[in-house]
Amino acid sequence: MQNLFEYEGHKLNLHASIGIASLKYGLSKEDVIRNADLAMYEAKRRGKNQVVAFKINFLDIVSRRMQLEQALREALNEQELAIWFQPIIDAQKGCVIGLEALSRWRLSSEFIPPNEFISIAEASGMITKLGRQVFDKVGAALQELRIDYPQLQCNVNLSLRQFRDSDLTKDIIECIEKYHLPACALHLELTESMIAESETEILPTMQSLVGHGFKFHLDDFGTGYSSLERLKNLPFDTLKIDRSFVVPLRQDDHVMVKNIINIGRELGMNLIAEGVETEVEVHKLLQLGCHQIQGYYFARPMPLDELKIWLATTQPQQLAAHKSSQLSQYQQP
């Protein structure tokens, strides 16, 4: 639910997530309140601004969440979370220009989905500890990789709680100093929904980091509530085109991607299309002028050891050959 109010000349857009629980025989008032809370959290999990009625399976969800929260705390204490890397390709030049760091967690024999354990880390406050470990592992990996690939960069995702609960600028600077990296080796990613909710809160830290030479990428662009005015005022270097706009390219529906590319060009920003999985998508993106591509078509996320092999055997020879034999005919003149 959402409502628009005016207060002292300001328009306030208020959102609400509501959980509903039925009064049933045998349930105590504590049970009913608990059930309503569970329904409310489910409404938030589904994207907020929703009304959800309690279902009995929510109890199983809570039980799993509690177990995962405890296991995640132990995993962070033992630094058991892994970092996988997905290459970002310049399809015009046929080379790797960067990586995105992605957290992976294996609990016994099960890989826990990132969106599941990241949300637990966010809600519990463990995201700041997780974030520091990500920076440390990415820094160590980059220090090693840049011996052979001195221009390699890596994108790291940030959460709102890292801005709120830690000295983020200090954490990031300590990382690059520890591993003797330039600021340009780390690119910092924020989601569009995060910016829309907390622009004024995070802007000072963004400006501080930009002042130290770091660059920001706006992830999932087009899926949230960004305005051109916001894009003009915030210090973003790159827009990432969300996969939801890439998939329609298979049916030659390129309106949204073309508009995003035009916006990026007008604002002097780089563009990266993410979630690219087919040759048709690559061809269409090249036609529209987006050359930087991330997705399964070129490479899936992989652990560091596999990445080293992939870089040594695939880049630049195979990418360059692929470009010259299949892609060059689709590029803009």
Side-chain angles (χ1 to χ4, degrees):
M1 296 178 63
Q2 64 181 63
N3 290 284
L4 187 65
F5 296 91
E6 285 200 15
Y7 177 73
E8 295 185 352
H10 299 283
K11 291 184 178 180
L12 305 177
N13 196 1
L14 304 182
H15 305 266
S17 299
I18 298 176
I20 298 175
S22 301
L23 295 172
K24 293 184 178 180
Y25 180 76
L27 290 180
S28 67
K29 63 180 180 181
E30 289 80 10
D31 290 335
V32 175
I33 293 172
R34 177 204 62 197
N35 293 350
D37 276 344
L38 294 179
M40 179 191 66
Y41 285 119
E42 178 64 14
K44 291 183 177 181
R45 188 192 69 81
R46 294 180 184 180
K48 303 181 182 179
N49 305 326
Q50 298 193 42
V51 178
V52 172
F54 171 79
K55 295 180 181 178
I56 193 64
N57 69 303
F58 289 180
L59 294 173
D60 294 332
I61 294 172
V62 171
S63 176
R64 173 177 169 83
R65 189 177 183 90
M66 292 175 63
Q67 291 173 358
L68 288 180
E69 182 175 334
Q70 179 59 35
L72 180 60
R73 198 177 304 277
E74 294 172 2
L76 289 175
N77 288 337
E78 299 299 324
Q79 297 207 23
E80 293 176 350
L81 267 70
I83 301 298
W84 288 21
F85 299 90
Q86 185 172 33
I88 301 170
I89 312 299
D90 187 322
Q92 187 177 52
K93 297 177 180 177
C95 63
V96 177
I97 58 170
L99 310 165
E100 181 175 356
L102 301 163
S103 297
R104 293 291 184 266
W105 181 28
R106 189 185 191 101
L107 180 60
S108 298
S109 60
E110 179 186 7
F111 268 109
I112 309 300
N115 61 337
E116 186 172 16
F117 73 79
I118 293 294
S119 68
I120 292 173
E122 286 268 8
S124 64
M126 288 186 281
I127 194 69
T128 54
K129 186 172 185 176
L130 189 156
R132 290 189 185 104
Q133 292 186 14
V134 169
F135 281 125
D136 191 69
K137 292 177 181 181
V138 168
L142 277 176
Q143 184 182 53
E144 184 177 356
L145 291 168
R146 282 169 66 94
I147 295 172
D148 294 319
Y149 310 96
Q151 303 303 315
L152 199 60
Q153 306 158 346
C154 188
N155 298 357
V156 178
N157 294 280
L158 299 178
S159 78
L160 181 58
R161 289 200 70 159
Q162 285 174 276
F163 284 86
R164 289 175 173 170
D165 298 348
S166 66
D167 188 340
L168 188 57
T169 301
K170 179 175 177 286
D171 290 345
I172 296 173
I173 290 176
E174 284 182 351
C175 172
I176 65 169
E177 289 179 347
K178 177 180 178 180
Y179 293 105
H180 309 290
L181 298 169
C184 63
L186 278 181
H187 291 176
L188 308 171
E189 290 197 8
L190 306 178
T191 62
E192 187 176 15
S193 58
M194 178 177 163
I195 290 296
E197 292 178 9
S198 309
E199 175 185 345
T200 56
E201 182 178 0
I202 67 179
L203 181 57
T205 302
M206 288 183 69
Q207 292 172 331
S208 171
L209 286 163
V210 169
H212 283 91
F214 295 96
K215 293 182 178 180
F216 279 90
H217 292 198
L218 183 56
D219 197 11
D220 302 334
F221 180 69
T223 63
Y225 308 97
S226 285
S227 65
L228 290 177
E229 189 66 25
R230 178 178 286 128
L231 288 179
K232 286 171 61 179
N233 293 335
L234 291 172
F236 283 106
D237 172 80
T238 298
L239 298 182
K240 296 192 76 174
I241 304 171
D242 188 73
R243 170 169 167 73
S244 61
F245 301 120
V246 171
V247 172
L249 293 175
R250 301 177 192 179
Q251 284 75 47
D252 203 29
D253 180 358
H254 59 262
V255 174
M256 290 302 298
V257 171
K258 184 176 181 179
N259 287 335
I260 293 171
I261 291 173
N262 288 338
I263 289 171
R265 284 175 174 169
E266 287 294 321
L267 296 175
M269 294 183 181
N270 295 322
L271 292 137
I272 298 173
E274 56 185 351
V276 180
E277 296 186 356
T278 70
E279 187 171 325
V280 171
E281 293 166 0
V282 176
H283 293 165
K284 294 294 184 182
L285 287 164
L286 285 170
Q287 283 181 315
L288 294 169
C290 180
H291 307 132
Q292 297 183 15
I293 293 172
Q294 178 181 351
Y296 287 3
Y297 182 72
F298 283 112
R300 291 173 176 264
M302 62 192 90
L304 181 59
D305 288 345
E306 291 182 20
L307 175 66
K308 292 176 186 175
I309 297 171
W310 187 90
L311 287 168
T313 58
T314 307
Q315 198 280 120
Q317 295 87 356
Q318 292 184 15
L319 291 176
H322 179 81
K323 182 208 74 163
S324 61
S325 64
Q326 298 186 44
L327 301 181
S328 58
Q329 61 180 311
Y330 294 92
Q331 296 171 8
Q332 288 184 321

